[in-house]
Amino acid sequence: MVLVKVAVSSDLPPGGMKRYSVNGHELVVANVEGTYFAIAGNCTHAGADLSKGTLEGGVVTCPRHGSKFDIRTGKAISGPRIGFLKLKTGDAKTYGVKVEGNDLMVDLPDNPA
Ligand code: FES
């Protein structure tokens, strides 16, 4: 594992969420009431960019089919809804986030995802 700077804290005010591409990893980093969390940037259902969804109370909603993920744990709270179908999807991969001064550091595996 290696700590890599992805942003500065002022980039992400409380309630903020952004996508970052770092060392071959696509991440979404969010500020949930002053604490930072990171999950894989693409939805586990069909790969939509989760940063284009919404963040409410620590829950990221996918912009494509509405899957919901708890950004604190990566857990898929609910799966996609397509027409009348309610499907399941996998949990999102999580990454540790550390604050060093004003820098947001993400703990990445040594090899690209
Ligand atoms: S791509 Fe995210 S719910 Fe389908």
Side-chain angles (χ1 to χ4, degrees):
M1 302 295 257
V2 57
L3 278 176
V4 179
K5 178 182 173 181
V6 293
V8 293
S9 54
S10 58
D11 288 344
L12 282 172
M17 171 171 75
K18 284 189 181 173
R19 184 181 183 95
Y20 298 95
S21 181
V22 186
N23 292 3
H25 298 268
E26 297 295 324
L27 312 172
V28 171
V29 182
N31 179 339
V32 180
E33 298 173 3
T35 303
Y36 298 92
F37 299 93
I39 60 174
N42 296 329
C43 182
T44 57
H45 172 234
D49 179 357
L50 291 174
S51 72
K52 297 199 181 319
T54 59
L55 175 69
E56 284 184 64
V59 175
V60 177
T61 301
C62 177
R64 193 173 299 167
H65 308 114
S67 286
K68 294 181 184 294
F69 301 90
D70 187 328
I71 199 162
R72 295 161 288 207
T73 63
K75 183 153 187 56
I77 297 168
S78 63
R81 292 179 182 213
I82 301 173
F84 294 109
L85 293 174
K86 291 183 185 176
L87 306 171
K88 290 189 175 183
T89 194
D91 296 341
K93 181 177 175 60
T94 58
Y95 299 85
V97 181
K98 187 173 179 189
V99 180
E100 290 187 356
N102 291 325
D103 295 339
L104 300 182
M105 313 290 290
V106 175
D107 199 2
L108 296 175
D110 294 334
N111 299 317

